[in-house]
Amino acid sequence: MELALWRLFLLLALFSNPFLVYSSYASRFIIQVEEPIEPQLTEASLKRWHQSFLPSAVEESGADRRLLHSYSDVFSGFAAMLTEDELQEVGKKKGFVRAFPDRVLRVMTTHTPDFLGLKVGIKGL
């Protein structure tokens, strides 16, 4: 019985402290940033530009693991694994535009050409 009370106490202590529950939970975010000043960045310099937006705690713990992808062609930004607190820090940096959670979308139809009214022929669409 004493062990059960001890476990209950630990669970209550853990869930009553939101810092312990939420601060270490990282999610994928897409971060949009302003275009870099230099027009033609190499892949390595673009990655450094995006890493400069990450909080120092992330850089110290290994930004290479947290920076998932750098976007440059159509979209200026990057994908990263961040906690909510880290995302707030990124949002305060100059050049930050916006952030949104990365989400996986499911296919809504397997009949897209029919849905769009397209004719599928021998030569394709």
Side-chain angles (χ1 to χ4, degrees):
M1 185 67 158
E2 192 174 313
L3 183 61
L5 288 174
W6 179 247
R7 286 182 183 170
L8 179 62
F9 173 77
L10 286 175
L11 285 174
L12 288 173
L14 176 67
F15 288 108
S16 66
N17 187 346
F19 179 76
L20 292 175
V21 176
Y22 296 111
S23 67
S24 63
Y25 181 71
S27 299
R28 283 188 310 248
F29 289 95
I30 307 296
I31 313 295
Q32 183 179 4
V33 297
E34 293 177 357
E35 293 281 339
I37 296 170
E38 301 173 34
Q40 297 295 324
L41 292 177
T42 65
E43 188 174 329
S45 59
L46 181 66
K47 187 174 181 179
R48 281 192 303 276
W49 164 249
H50 291 153
Q51 285 176 340
S52 72
F53 285 90
L54 298 177
S56 57
V58 172
E59 290 183 51
E60 293 168 5
S61 69
D64 289 337
R65 293 179 309 198
R66 304 282 292 279
L67 182 68
L68 303 175
H69 187 75
S70 289
Y71 301 102
S72 62
D73 294 328
V74 177
F75 179 81
S76 177
F78 59 96
M81 292 292 290
L82 300 169
T83 65
E84 291 291 332
D85 293 338
E86 292 166 345
L87 183 61
Q88 295 298 321
E89 285 186 53
V90 171
K92 295 175 185 174
K93 301 227 176 167
K94 184 178 179 186
F96 172 84
V97 176
R98 68 182 184 137
F100 46 95
D102 188 13
R103 56 188 188 148
V104 177
L105 300 176
R106 301 186 70 181
V107 176
M108 299 301 286
T109 178
T110 59
H111 307 287
T112 302
D114 293 337
F115 176 77
L116 296 174
L118 302 173
K119 304 285 185 213
V120 180
I122 297 172
K123 297 180 183 177
L125 293 176

